């Protein structure tokens, strides 16, 4: 069976029985997207359609962030698993496949890092004490890293210092492009560079140009942020990935239920460039948060605190 949902969908549509079942699930997913209430018979029909896919390659298909038809792939996944999205804590099955070994990327980074170390340029002064500056200089030596970082920085700073408001949607798309298309060894070093002083910490905090990508004039309620995320297929998928890979467990040595801290950091990076973009809260710590508040949450205060707590007090993250 194919692990790629786009290919699995094509195989299903070529089979008359699977095709009919899949079309039923599409209607179920569409009704859910439009918040239409289904009667009892319709709900049973949707559930039976999911069960009928038991022998189909669709049931176990996954997507990956760097694929060309990612949004199409995610649409297929959520069509098949639409019943899983009833509540916030039911989003624990990630649509993304486990990433392949990407060790070969480190060779590129180490070669470029050696070039930076060998340069005797005034612009590299302070690299030894500012790992964030060093990571940026190494990125600049990679054409792809430099181009995509410049692209999002340019989009996300438009309107800064004037009455114009930046185009947050374009800024988010530029950030996702950067984190999806640039090898992770570059992006991780830029985003998670270890700092010893506030100047370095401020550079790290501003990596994603937070004035545009992260902050609003006033903090919205976290429940509103969640609703915005669940309406966006990519954000919903990244949130499911984050929940699966960053599920905290107190008794675990690394705080992670899956014992894979690297996968949690990758899932965290996946949230950047979505409506639920997180960031560092200050230039003097590694604490992160969402830009939202749980004030005025009424009887949903506990749910709101859980959403915020997945970032603010997550032992795994």
């Amino acid at each position: 069976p194919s692990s790629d949902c786009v290919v699995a969908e094509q195989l299903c549509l070529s089979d008359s029985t699977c095709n009919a079942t899949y079309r039923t699930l599409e209607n179920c997913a569409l009704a859910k997207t439009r918040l239409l209430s289904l009667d009892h018979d319709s709900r049973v029909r949707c559930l039976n359609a999911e069960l009928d896919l038991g022998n189909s390659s669709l049931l176990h298909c996954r997507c990956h962030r760097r694929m060309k038809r990612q949004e199409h792939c995610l649409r297929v996944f959520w069509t098949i698993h639409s019943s899983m999205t009833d509540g916030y804590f039911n989003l624990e099955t990630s649509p993304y496949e486990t990433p392949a070994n990407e060790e070969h990327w480190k060779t590129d980074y180490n070669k470029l890092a050696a070039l930076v170390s060998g340069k005797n340029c005034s612009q590299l002064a302070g690299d030894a004490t500012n790992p964030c500056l060093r990571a940026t200089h190494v990125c600049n030596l990679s054409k792809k890293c430099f181009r995509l970082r410049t692209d999002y920085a340019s989009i996300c700073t438009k309107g800064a210092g004037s009455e114009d408001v930046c185009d947050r949607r374009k800024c988010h798309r530029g950030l996702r492009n950067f984190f999806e298309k640039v090898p992770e060894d570059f992006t991780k070093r830029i985003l998670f560079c270890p700092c010893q002083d506030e100047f370095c910490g401020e550079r790290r905090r501003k990596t994603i140009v937070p004035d545009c990508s992260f902050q609003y004039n006033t903090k919205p309620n976290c429940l509103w942020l969640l609703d915005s995320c669940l309406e966006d297929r990519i954000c919903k998928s990244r949130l499911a990935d984050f929940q699966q890979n960053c599920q905290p467990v107190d008794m675990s040595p690394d705080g992670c239920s899956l014992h894979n801290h690297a996968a949690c950091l990758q899932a965290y990076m996946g949230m950047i460039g979505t409506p639920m973009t997180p960031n560092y809260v200050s230039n003097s710590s590694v604490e992160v948060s969402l830009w939202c508040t749980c004030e005025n949450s009424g009887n949903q205060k506990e749910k709101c605190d859980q959403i915020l707590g997945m970032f603010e007090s997550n032992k795994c993250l």
Side-chain angles (χ1 to χ4, degrees):
S2 172
S3 62
D4 182 334
C5 288
V6 176
V7 177
E9 181 193 40
Q10 291 171 347
L11 290 172
C12 177
L13 296 180
S14 65
D15 175 87
S16 58
T17 304
C18 189
N19 190 326
T21 303
Y22 184 67
R23 296 304 183 193
T24 299
L25 285 174
E26 279 189 317
N27 291 332
C28 298
L30 185 62
K32 194 148 200 170
T33 302
R34 293 177 178 173
L35 302 177
L36 301 175
S37 57
L38 298 174
D39 57 33
H40 175 73
D41 289 346
S42 297
R43 285 200 298 274
V44 170
R45 192 160 53 247
C46 292
L47 187 58
N48 286 339
E50 269 194 50
L51 294 173
D52 287 344
L53 283 180
N55 295 323
S56 167
S57 56
L58 274 169
L59 196 62
H60 305 290
C61 74
R62 289 293 184 270
C63 308
H64 57 90
R65 291 194 188 95
R66 295 172 184 266
M67 67 189 300
K68 289 183 178 178
R69 302 178 68 187
Q70 182 185 165
E71 290 198 49
H72 182 166
C73 187
L74 294 174
R75 178 181 63 76
V76 176
F77 179 88
W78 290 116
T79 294
I80 305 154
H81 300 283
S82 62
S83 67
M84 292 166 50
T85 62
D86 285 335
Y88 172 63
F89 290 103
N90 289 336
L91 277 179
E92 289 172 14
T93 297
S94 171
Y96 293 108
E97 61 189 15
T98 304
N101 189 333
E102 292 163 351
E103 286 291 319
H104 63 280
W105 282 344
K106 295 189 177 181
T107 306
D108 296 337
Y109 184 93
N110 290 335
K111 280 180 183 175
L112 293 171
L115 282 174
V116 170
S117 300
K119 285 182 182 289
N120 184 23
C121 303
S122 59
Q123 68 170 14
L124 299 183
D127 270 4
T129 56
N130 191 336
C132 292
L133 199 59
R134 178 184 173 83
T136 302
H137 288 150
V138 176
C139 171
N140 290 345
L141 289 175
S142 162
K143 288 182 180 178
K144 177 180 273 190
C145 191
F146 174 73
R147 176 173 57 82
L148 291 174
R149 182 174 167 273
T150 303
D151 284 351
Y152 85 71
S154 172
I155 295 166
C156 298
T157 50
K158 282 181 179 176
S162 69
E163 293 181 3
D164 297 329
V165 178
C166 74
D167 191 326
R168 183 172 283 108
R169 188 180 293 271
K170 285 185 178 178
C171 175
H172 281 169
R173 192 184 306 128
L175 278 167
R176 290 202 308 273
N177 266 340
F178 177 74
F179 285 104
E180 286 174 11
K181 295 179 180 178
V182 174
E184 279 184 14
D185 204 55
F186 289 89
T187 55
K188 277 182 179 176
R189 288 171 194 260
I190 287 176
L191 192 64
F192 303 126
C193 41
C195 289
Q196 301 297 322
D197 59 64
E198 293 190 3
F199 176 74
C200 176
E202 183 65 3
R203 187 176 186 91
R204 180 175 60 192
R205 189 184 72 82
K206 288 190 172 179
T207 295
I208 65 168
V209 196
D211 289 348
C212 182
S213 68
F214 178 66
Q215 295 172 203
Y216 296 77
N217 291 330
T218 56
K219 283 189 176 182
N221 187 281
C222 298
L223 294 168
W224 177 85
L225 215 61
L226 174 64
D227 288 341
S228 299
C229 182
L230 295 180
E231 290 171 5
D232 181 289
R233 199 171 282 129
I234 286 182
C235 187
K236 179 169 70 172
S237 301
R238 302 298 171 81
L239 180 60
D241 196 50
F242 180 79
Q243 279 191 276
Q244 177 175 295
N245 290 296
C246 295
Q247 197 66 246
V249 175
D250 289 336
M251 301 303 290
S252 172
D254 61 0
C256 303
S257 62
L258 296 183
H259 309 293
N260 190 343
H261 190 239
C264 177
L265 293 183
Q266 183 190 49
Y268 172 86
M269 287 196 299
M271 295 301 300
I272 295 173
T274 71
M276 284 183 76
T277 293
N279 195 30
Y280 297 99
V281 295
S282 75
N283 59 9
S284 57
S285 77
V286 291
E287 291 180 21
V288 298
S289 181
L290 298 172
W291 183 261
C292 64
T293 177
C294 285
E295 293 178 12
N296 304 317
S297 296
N299 60 3
Q300 290 190 298
K301 177 77 162 57
E302 185 178 350
K303 178 182 177 181
C304 186
D305 287 339
Q306 287 175 317
I307 296 163
L308 196 54
M310 283 209 73
F311 293 86
E312 285 191 344
S313 54
N314 187 325
K315 186 180 178 183
C316 178
L317 180 61

